[in-house]
Amino acid sequence: MSNSDLTPRDRFTSRFGIIAAAAGSAVGLGNIWKFPYVAGQGGGGAFLVVYVLFIAAIGLPVMLSEFSIGRRAQRNAIGSFKNLAPRTPWFLVGVMGVAAAFLILSFYSAVAGWTLEYIIKSFSDAFAGRDEEELNLMFSTFVSGTWRPLFWQLIFMVLTAWIVVAGIKQGIEKYTKVLMPLLIVMILVLCVRSITLPGGGAGLAFLFNPDFSKLTAGTLLGALGQAFFSLSLGMGTLITYGSYIQKNNNLSETVIQVSVTDTLIAILAGIAIFPAVFAFNIDPAEGPGLVFITLPNIFQQMPGGYFFSIIFFTLLLIAALTSSISILEVVVAYIVEELHLTRKRATILASVMISVLGIFCSLSLGILSDFRIFGLVIFDLMDFTASNLLLPLGGLFIVLFVGWYLGAGPARNEISNEGALRLGYFPLFMFLVRFIAPFAITLVFIYGLGLIRI
Ligand code: TRP
């Protein structure tokens, strides 16, 4: 008897619900906070080109693979591999995913906590009349503090856990459907304000005129990691969500819709940020503070900026929540289905462990900043290990699993809804999962980690 016979699984109830939930997972701090700052560090245009290439050649096939695995197996990230490949070590891919979920949420919740602080700052009109330097100082003083960032991070974890306990249908769909489109509108408004700032043109040139001489091995690895991070890939999030997708959903269509939405929002965030970065003389390689310094600068220079800033940071918080619940869900679905704890207990257990790890991430930007491993503070170490190592590695094994272990037959059955859909592009998909994606990931890995020099 399969698992699904024992307990009727939660399901997304509508087609839009799936897209909203998967896009809700994908669209988050990765698009608005992380993309501009890693693109800025990676030299702008050249980074963007590589990033988009990685999404097309690697991201799309990995995403379709994850959905297929989850929907076919009807289990969590680890259980899915146990179901489809019993008595093999493949389940370790899921184990790696659960580990990555711990690392990612520990720093993700810290940054999400910053958005809470910035909502409060917006309410008290704290940005008004401040120049770039003062806003920079405001940010660095806050994140290097001890209690305030920790307090917000904890609040954020409680919010995340609360939604996850509520379950899939009521929890996840409800929050995503309405607010995502509103976020897009807000970003568009910001784009207009940013582009029309005097001197903003240089920012567009920075983002859209690639200078390939700036491309380094590290940048390539960073772009790959960012592609995985932004699309929520390589960790089993979309295996888990795939298991909640109805059997008659057209998976390929969902993949395209989610990836296009996610990529467009990242690029729009870039268009909103970089013109302002150049107009205000901010360093594009500023790092994790980039949007928290640039955006307040834009807000205070636009009519109604006070309200925009409140609304924007609130929407950013919600975007972060719809992502963080999808990260926590990976761990919770695993604990519930494989270790048989109740959903509530599983959520509390996972959240407490992640919060403890999160404390170290947060403090590593302040009192623990001297503690470094491989030259990285804990915050950066978690991010690098999870985003640039575990996620691409997970993605590599996921495409290898679908391409070579599961094979064309079952993959075609799942993606075509047991033959109901015609799939003209299926050979291309198989070619990508069997050869192109594994080869590209491996190459970027060994090159990016400095194992070979070209
Ligand atoms: N994609 C989300 C963002 O861009 C973060 C995220 C959610 C994630 N689930 C994930 C990242 C799984 C990696 C793996 O903010």
Side-chain angles (χ1 to χ4, degrees):
M1 199 175 357
S2 81
N3 203 49
S4 50
D5 297 328
L6 292 171
T7 44
R9 287 178 73 78
D10 265 335
R11 266 186 217 291
F12 295 125
T13 44
S14 68
R15 221 171 64 84
F16 191 65
I18 304 152
I19 298 164
S25 166
V27 175
L29 296 169
N31 306 61
I32 290 154
W33 160 72
K34 203 174 168 199
F35 174 78
Y37 107 68
V38 289
Q41 288 177 332
F47 180 96
L48 180 60
V49 170
V50 177
Y51 174 73
V52 172
L53 276 179
F54 284 160
I55 297 240
I58 303 173
L60 298 181
V62 173
M63 192 185 286
L64 191 50
S65 300
E66 285 206 29
F67 278 154
S68 309
I69 293 172
R71 194 173 68 170
R72 196 155 192 85
Q74 292 292 302
R75 299 264 287 273
N76 57 84
I78 296 178
S80 283
F81 286 101
K82 287 192 176 157
N83 183 346
L84 298 178
R87 289 174 300 282
T88 66
W90 280 106
F91 74 96
L92 292 171
V93 180
V95 173
M96 203 166 68
V98 171
F102 275 92
L103 302 191
I104 290 184
L105 198 47
S106 70
F107 72 85
Y108 203 86
S109 54
V111 181
W114 303 349
T115 66
L116 278 161
E117 168 80 10
Y118 271 67
I119 293 172
I120 303 297
K121 285 197 195 312
S122 302
F123 269 111
S124 63
D125 211 4
F127 314 131
R130 297 198 192 267
D131 64 14
E132 190 274 309
E133 232 160 87
E134 287 170 304
L135 289 169
N136 196 330
L137 188 67
M138 183 188 275
F139 174 77
S140 52
T141 311
F142 162 64
V143 292
S144 63
T146 300
W147 296 109
R148 266 184 99 87
L150 282 182
F151 172 73
W152 291 126
Q153 182 173 19
L154 187 69
I155 300 277
F156 180 80
M157 280 306 295
V158 171
L159 282 173
T160 302
W162 175 65
I163 300 173
V164 168
V165 172
I168 292 303
K169 279 199 284 288
Q170 311 88 320
I172 297 173
E173 273 180 52
K174 194 168 96 189
Y175 295 86
T176 329
K177 277 185 193 170
V178 199
L179 295 159
M180 282 250 309
L182 196 58
L183 179 67
I184 298 178
V185 173
M186 290 295 298
I187 300 172
L188 284 172
V189 173
L190 281 178
C191 287
V192 172
R193 173 66 282 209
S194 186
I195 294 173
T196 52
L197 286 167
L204 289 180
F206 177 77
L207 187 60
F208 293 113
N209 289 351
D211 172 0
F212 288 105
S213 67
K214 289 204 185 124
L215 219 54
T216 63
T219 312
L220 279 183
L221 184 59
L224 182 67
Q226 176 61 18
F228 274 89
F229 187 88
S230 193
L231 293 175
S232 302
L233 297 176
M235 200 184 87
T237 291
L238 299 184
I239 293 180
T240 310
Y241 273 24
S243 74
Y244 306 132
I245 296 181
Q246 288 161 336
K247 287 288 184 190
N248 62 3
N249 179 262
N250 186 338
L251 294 181
S252 329
E253 234 174 63
T254 304
V255 165
I256 298 287
Q257 278 154 343
V258 172
S259 320
V260 168
T261 308
D262 186 74
T263 308
L264 279 182
I265 294 184
I267 295 174
L268 284 178
I271 299 175
I273 299 285
F274 286 112
V277 163
F278 281 79
F280 302 136
N281 272 321
I282 298 170
D283 178 6
E286 171 72 43
L290 187 66
V291 295
F292 288 94
I293 297 163
T294 311
L295 289 177
N297 231 326
I298 306 180
F299 289 130
Q300 60 152 338
Q301 310 221 359
M302 63 195 266
Y306 174 78
F307 295 102
F308 270 110
S309 146
I310 295 172
I311 298 171
F312 182 85
F313 282 114
T314 307
L315 289 172
L316 185 57
L317 170 72
I318 292 162
L321 268 173
T322 58
S323 299
S324 64
I325 55 181
S326 79
I327 304 174
L328 189 57
E329 179 68 23
V330 171
V331 185
V332 170
Y334 161 68
I335 300 179
V336 170
E337 291 175 14
E338 311 294 315
L339 307 180
H340 307 293
L341 259 59
T342 63
R343 194 167 175 86
K344 194 168 172 184
R345 285 204 181 142
T347 308
I348 294 173
L349 180 69
S351 314
V352 168
M353 294 194 320
I354 290 167
S355 301
V356 170
L357 211 55
I359 294 176
F360 292 97
C361 285
S362 183
L363 295 183
S364 76
L365 302 176
I367 54 173
L368 294 183
S369 61
D370 288 334
F371 180 77
R372 283 163 191 264
I373 299 172
F374 301 119
L376 299 174
V377 298
I378 300 170
F379 183 99
D380 293 333
L381 185 74
M382 299 285 185
D383 184 8
F384 185 87
T385 310
S387 313
N388 296 4
L389 302 181
L390 295 180
L391 298 182
L393 205 59
L396 173 64
F397 286 120
I398 285 165
V399 282
L400 289 176
F401 182 79
V402 170
W404 298 98
Y405 184 89
L406 208 57
R412 181 191 274 275
N413 281 344
E414 192 55 44
I415 297 169
S416 70
N417 300 346
E418 310 299 329
L421 302 169
R422 282 193 54 237
L423 301 178
Y425 49 84
F426 187 75
L428 172 66
F429 168 73
M430 273 326 266
F431 184 64
L432 288 173
V433 292
R434 282 193 160 160
F435 302 106
I436 300 295
F439 185 70
I441 297 172
T442 310
L443 205 64
V444 174
F445 248 143
I446 48 185
Y447 182 50
L449 293 177
L451 303 180
I452 51 162
R453 294 259 168 263
I454 299 176

